């Protein structure tokens, strides 16, 4: 993994007096903050829960009749809760690198929290439901203005993409260097690979390539 390899640093040598040979003291993994963002009901909470090595922290609240009248649940009829503050999980990619993953709320009315949730993030994964692309525009616009490196992850609901990845890229009008990938928010391996894409994109940006 390119990003993880680039962050490795030699551990300081410690002399083992009994054996007379140098030993090494392992360093703790380098912490990296990542954000998972996107519109309402696109799979952010599901993705963090799928990949987190700890029990994820969620701030879910029940969708009331009033909220259902504001939030469009027509494409996600089984959704009964919504994130009102943030989600949190973590993932150790290898012994040198650990991701701390923060999920933003999806609704515009909770947008005032985004600045605090995303502060200090190395990169962001913007989750997209290709059946309703309009819902992800606020997240894309936010990270473009903020200058945070991000990748687009198109969630394959029921294993199907409503539009091809080139069509999604064209519709979102993102820069050519922004990665656009398909993933399954229910699969830990799929989410992990998507987060690695963000890390490698952020590293490329940092190097000025």
């Amino acid at each position: 993994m390119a990003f993880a390899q680039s962050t490795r640093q030699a551990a300081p040598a410690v002399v083992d007096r009994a054996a007379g040979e140098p030993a090494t003291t392992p360093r703790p993994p380098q912490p990296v903050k990542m954000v998972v963002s996107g519109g309402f009901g696109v799979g952010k909470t599901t993705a963090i829960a799928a990949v987190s090595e700890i029990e994820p922290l969620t701030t879910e609240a029940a969708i009331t009749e009033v909220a259902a009248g504001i939030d469009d649940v027509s494409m996600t009829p089984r959704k009964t809760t919504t994130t009102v503050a943030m989600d949190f999980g973590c993932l150790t990619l290898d012994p040198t690198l650990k991701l701390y993953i923060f999920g933003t709320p999806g609704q515009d009315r909770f947008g005032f929290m985004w600045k605090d949730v995303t502060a200090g993030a190395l990169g962001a994964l913007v989750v997209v439901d290709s059946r309703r692309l309009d819902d992800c525009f606020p997240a894309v616009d936010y990270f473009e203005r903020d200058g945070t490196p991000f990748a687009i992850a198109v969630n394959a609901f029921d294993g199907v993409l409503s539009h091809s990845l080139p069509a999604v890229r064209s519709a979102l009008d993102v820069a050519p260097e922004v990665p656009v990938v398909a993933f399954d928010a229910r699969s830990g391996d799929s989410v992990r690979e998507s987060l690695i894409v963000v890390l490698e994109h952020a590293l490329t940006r940092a190097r000025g390539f």
Side-chain angles (χ1 to χ4, degrees):
M1 181 175 58
F3 185 90
Q5 291 173 348
S6 71
T7 60
R8 291 191 175 95
Q9 299 179 11
V14 177
V15 177
D16 183 341
R17 299 298 181 186
E21 296 180 354
T24 58
T25 301
R27 292 179 181 271
Q30 178 177 337
V32 173
K33 181 178 180 179
M34 293 288 292
V35 170
V36 176
S37 189
F40 168 76
V42 296
K44 302 182 298 296
T45 299
T46 299
I48 293 174
V51 80
S52 180
E53 64 196 24
I54 64 169
E55 185 69 25
L57 168 67
T58 63
T59 53
E60 295 273 284
I63 298 176
T64 64
E65 291 184 6
V66 173
I70 299 173
D71 302 321
D72 182 6
V73 296
S74 60
M75 300 302 293
T76 54
R78 294 189 295 273
K79 185 173 178 58
T80 59
T81 61
T82 184
T83 300
V84 296
M86 70 173 190
D87 298 316
F88 173 76
C90 62
L91 170 66
T92 302
L93 288 179
D94 66 26
T96 70
L97 191 64
K98 185 169 186 174
L99 303 185
Y100 291 89
I101 310 165
F102 292 77
T104 65
Q107 300 93 324
D108 290 344
R109 64 184 181 276
F110 298 127
F112 66 92
M113 301 191 62
W114 278 41
K115 184 176 181 179
D116 291 332
V117 174
T118 63
L122 181 68
L125 187 69
V126 177
V127 182
V128 173
D129 179 350
S130 63
R131 302 171 299 179
R132 44 194 178 96
L133 292 176
D134 289 353
D135 290 358
C136 76
F137 283 131
V140 171
D141 290 344
Y142 180 89
F143 293 115
E144 285 181 338
R145 291 194 308 269
D146 185 61
T148 300
F150 69 95
I152 303 294
V154 186
N155 196 3
F157 281 88
D158 299 319
V160 177
L161 295 180
S162 299
H163 303 285
S164 68
L165 296 185
V168 171
R169 175 184 291 280
S170 177
L172 298 182
D173 193 28
V174 292
E177 65 271 15
V178 173
V180 179
V181 300
F183 89 134
D184 184 342
R186 301 165 299 180
S187 166
D189 288 341
S190 184
V191 178
R192 182 181 185 276
E193 292 305 312
S194 299
L195 290 169
I196 290 173
V197 168
V198 178
L199 288 168
E200 293 180 339
H201 176 51
L203 179 60
T204 300
R205 280 271 302 270
R207 288 174 171 170
F209 294 158

